Amino acid sequence: MRIAVQNSWPNLEYSAEREFIARLKLACLNLDWTCIEVVTSDDILNAKADCVLVTHEYSPKLTEIPTIGLLWSPPDFYQEDPLRIRAILSYDGYLAGSNSVRDYLEDLLFSTRKNSPVSDWDFL
């Protein structure tokens, strides 16, 4: 398995996203999977990944490669922001960090008639 994980904050020295990426790389190494940190669409294409994990709802899907949004922030952070909502709707699937995120996604996807999978377990 080849996973591309998008660093939405590449110039930020310390962030939860950077910590997650470091831990994901170790987990993938233990599974004998390849995990490539990416920033741009060119990086994603060059990674030749099976899927892309997006670490922040600011970043939309950038390529045709299946893209999964990691949504662990509370919906209050993004539910009124049209740019973030547009990015969220661009994903092919979702790993939700809580019931409130799942509820928000269920309502959002229903209202837009988008049928995309959402994890039924908490991804943190």
Side-chain angles (χ1 to χ4, degrees):
M1 170 76 73
R2 292 180 65 85
I3 297 173
V5 59
Q6 186 176 20
N7 185 347
S8 299
W9 312 107
N11 297 321
L12 191 59
E13 186 174 359
Y14 301 104
S15 69
E17 291 80 9
R18 186 175 294 280
E19 177 70 20
F20 169 77
I21 291 168
R23 291 173 185 256
L24 178 65
K25 286 179 179 179
L26 287 174
C28 287
L29 186 64
N30 288 330
L31 292 168
D32 201 27
W33 292 358
T34 302
C35 180
I36 302 116
E37 186 174 339
V38 297
V39 176
T40 68
S41 58
D42 284 342
D43 294 342
I44 293 169
L45 294 172
N46 290 335
K48 298 186 185 338
D50 298 307
C51 68
V52 179
L53 300 179
V54 178
T55 60
H56 201 280
E57 72 277 351
Y58 272 122
S59 301
K61 176 177 176 162
L62 297 175
T63 68
E64 291 301 316
I65 297 170
T67 302
I68 300 166
L70 308 179
L71 294 178
W72 41 55
S73 295
D76 287 347
F77 286 18
Y78 45 79
Q79 66 186 0
E80 301 296 328
D81 185 336
L83 293 177
R84 288 190 196 191
I85 293 169
R86 183 175 166 191
I88 290 167
L89 285 170
S90 72
Y91 307 145
D92 300 303
Y94 307 88
L95 293 176
S98 66
N99 284 331
S100 63
V101 172
R102 263 187 297 288
D103 291 344
Y104 170 78
L105 286 169
E106 182 179 308
D107 291 346
L108 178 66
L109 296 174
F110 178 80
S111 71
T112 58
R113 297 184 179 159
K114 183 173 183 188
N115 186 15
S116 296
V118 178
S119 67
D120 58 1
W121 41 272
D122 292 350
F123 183 83
L124 299 172

